[in-house]
Amino acid sequence: MPRYDIQFQKGLSLREFMARYGTEEQCVEAVRMARWPHGFECPECGSTRHCHLSRGLFQCQDCRKQTSPTAGTIFQSTKLPLAVWFQAMHLLTQGKHSVSALELKRQLGVCYETAWNMKQKILQVMLEREARTVLSGRIEVDDAYVGGERHLGKRGRGAAGKTPFVVAVQTDPENPASVLHLRMKALRHVAARDLKPWFEVGFTKGSTILTDGWQAYNFLDEAGFKHEPHKMPGGWRSSKHPAFP
Ligand SMILES: [Zn+2]
């Protein structure tokens, strides 16, 4: 089996995860730091003068408003410990394969409905975060089909019954094998009219876009990008191309 470097990218090991987020106190602290990295700030009046109440609540000493660090986050009003939420986030994000709600239920020791709801909320915030990510710099773009390479039937662009999608990865300019950000979108057709709106919102003008030179990408120069087409062999062989590590 070939070894792909992407599969060996460093993640957060279970041991590291437990060391950082193993206790409820550590998770509460992590949420608080993410929310108020420079210390508490009252969402009502902006004051930083506060005192601590029970159940992790903060009280503003100017307007007296009580605020929970989880208010307005996906953890708001949850009855579960934050440590369980953090475990769910770890399980959903560290694996190469998707994790079912049933698997979450088993691993976390919660009921199925709870596991299902947690999964929906976590995936939704990941989706919203990705939608706001704007790629820039050196970006590799390619389109593919759900179902992948098949030995029977027509292969590649235009194959019947397959859903095309496009993937863009922003790589580290110092090390093109290292992926910084990724965007994906399902398309009706791999055509300029479907690709253009996607490039308009998610990519900084002036970025260098590497493609396999398929005609649908010809609009890129005119749209304000530096298009770098590379002639590619088909299918998985393109992953061996030096421009597309
Ligand atoms: Zn206040």
Side-chain angles (χ1 to χ4, degrees), residues 88 91-93 95-108 110-120 123:
L91 289 168
L92 287 170
T93 55
K96 186 182 161 203
H97 302 285
S98 78
V99 175
S100 68
L102 201 59
E103 181 65 16
L104 267 192
K105 163 190 161 353
R106 287 196 199 102
Q107 298 265 358
L108 301 176
V110 298
C111 75
Y112 179 77
E113 198 192 346
T114 300
W116 191 89
N117 281 321
M118 290 174 98
K119 184 179 171 184
Q120 296 305 309
L123 294 191

Side-chain angles (χ1 to χ4, degrees), residues 42 44-45 47 60 63:
C42 174
E44 192 70 23
C45 73
S47 170
C60 174
C63 75

Side-chain angles (χ1 to χ4, degrees), residues 22-39:
T23 70
E24 185 65 9
E25 289 70 33
Q26 285 172 310
C27 298
V28 170
E29 179 64 10
V31 171
R32 205 172 59 75
M33 284 302 291
R35 180 132 196 214
W36 297 308
H38 310 295

Side-chain angles (χ1 to χ4, degrees), residues 141-148 157 162-168 182-190 195 198 217:
V141 175
D142 200 6
D143 48 275
Y145 291 79
V146 174
R157 290 180 172 109
K162 295 183 185 175
T163 302
F165 65 100
V166 62
V167 185
L182 175 149
R183 284 176 69 88
M184 297 175 84
K185 183 164 174 58
L187 302 171
R188 274 169 55 86
H189 307 281
V190 184
L195 290 163
W198 189 61
Y217 298 109

Side-chain angles (χ1 to χ4, degrees), residues 36-77:
W36 297 308
H38 310 295
F40 172 79
E41 194 179 303
C42 174
E44 192 70 23
C45 73
S47 170
T48 56
R49 300 190 330 121
H50 66 281
C51 59
H52 297 271
L53 303 176
S54 60
R55 292 174 292 122
L57 286 178
F58 287 70
Q59 182 162 44
C60 174
Q61 291 191 330
D62 287 300
C63 75
R64 316 302 295 167
K65 185 183 166 66
Q66 296 181 0
T67 307
S68 160
T70 59
T73 73
I74 56 166
F75 315 122
Q76 180 172 325
S77 318

Side-chain angles (χ1 to χ4, degrees):
M1 233 187 81
R3 175 181 163 134
Y4 294 109
D5 286 346
I6 197 92
Q7 294 173 325
F8 288 86
Q9 280 197 148
K10 196 169 156 25
L12 189 62
S13 74
L14 184 58
R15 196 165 40 171
E16 286 170 302
F17 171 81
M18 290 309 286
R20 282 194 223 174
Y21 308 113
T23 70
E24 185 65 9
E25 289 70 33
Q26 285 172 310
C27 298
V28 170
E29 179 64 10
V31 171
R32 205 172 59 75
M33 284 302 291
R35 180 132 196 214
W36 297 308
H38 310 295
F40 172 79
E41 194 179 303
C42 174
E44 192 70 23
C45 73
S47 170
T48 56
R49 300 190 330 121
H50 66 281
C51 59
H52 297 271
L53 303 176
S54 60
R55 292 174 292 122
L57 286 178
F58 287 70
Q59 182 162 44
C60 174
Q61 291 191 330
D62 287 300
C63 75
R64 316 302 295 167
K65 185 183 166 66
Q66 296 181 0
T67 307
S68 160
T70 59
T73 73
I74 56 166
F75 315 122
Q76 180 172 325
S77 318
T78 185
K79 291 185 183 69
L80 289 170
L82 283 182
V84 176
W85 277 97
F86 274 57
Q87 285 163 18
M89 293 191 288
H90 185 69
L91 289 168
L92 287 170
T93 55
Q94 290 299 301
K96 186 182 161 203
H97 302 285
S98 78
V99 175
S100 68
L102 201 59
E103 181 65 16
L104 267 192
K105 163 190 161 353
R106 287 196 199 102
Q107 298 265 358
L108 301 176
V110 298
C111 75
Y112 179 77
E113 198 192 346
T114 300
W116 191 89
N117 281 321
M118 290 174 98
K119 184 179 171 184
Q120 296 305 309
K121 282 189 173 182
I122 292 166
L123 294 191
Q124 181 64 31
V125 293
M126 287 168 70
L127 192 72
E128 287 174 22
R129 182 177 180 274
E130 193 203 271
R132 287 199 306 269
T133 304
V134 176
L135 305 193
S136 61
R138 183 189 181 280
I139 302 160
E140 298 174 16
V141 175
D142 200 6
D143 48 275
Y145 291 79
V146 174
E149 189 169 309
R150 300 253 175 91
H151 295 292
L152 298 168
K154 197 176 166 188
R155 256 176 32 191
R157 290 180 172 109
K162 295 183 185 175
T163 302
F165 65 100
V166 62
V167 185
V169 291
Q170 178 184 336
T171 58
D172 183 347
E174 304 285 302
N175 173 20
S178 172
V179 172
L180 300 177
H181 297 290
L182 175 149
R183 284 176 69 88
M184 297 175 84
K185 183 164 174 58
L187 302 171
R188 274 169 55 86
H189 307 281
V190 184
R193 68 169 184 280
D194 286 29
L195 290 163
K196 256 183 188 167
W198 189 61
F199 275 92
E200 284 297 324
V201 296
F203 300 81
T204 306
K205 294 285 162 70
S207 301
T208 302
I209 315 277
L210 288 81
T211 74
D212 63 0
W214 173 243
Q215 61 192 32
Y217 298 109
N218 285 349
F219 72 92
L220 283 168
D221 278 314
E222 214 168 280
F225 300 100
K226 289 186 206 111
H227 184 203
E228 224 183 79
H230 293 265
K231 187 89 188 103
M232 287 292 155
W236 61 270
R237 289 168 200 88
S238 58
S239 68
K240 298 289 171 206
H241 192 285
F244 287 76

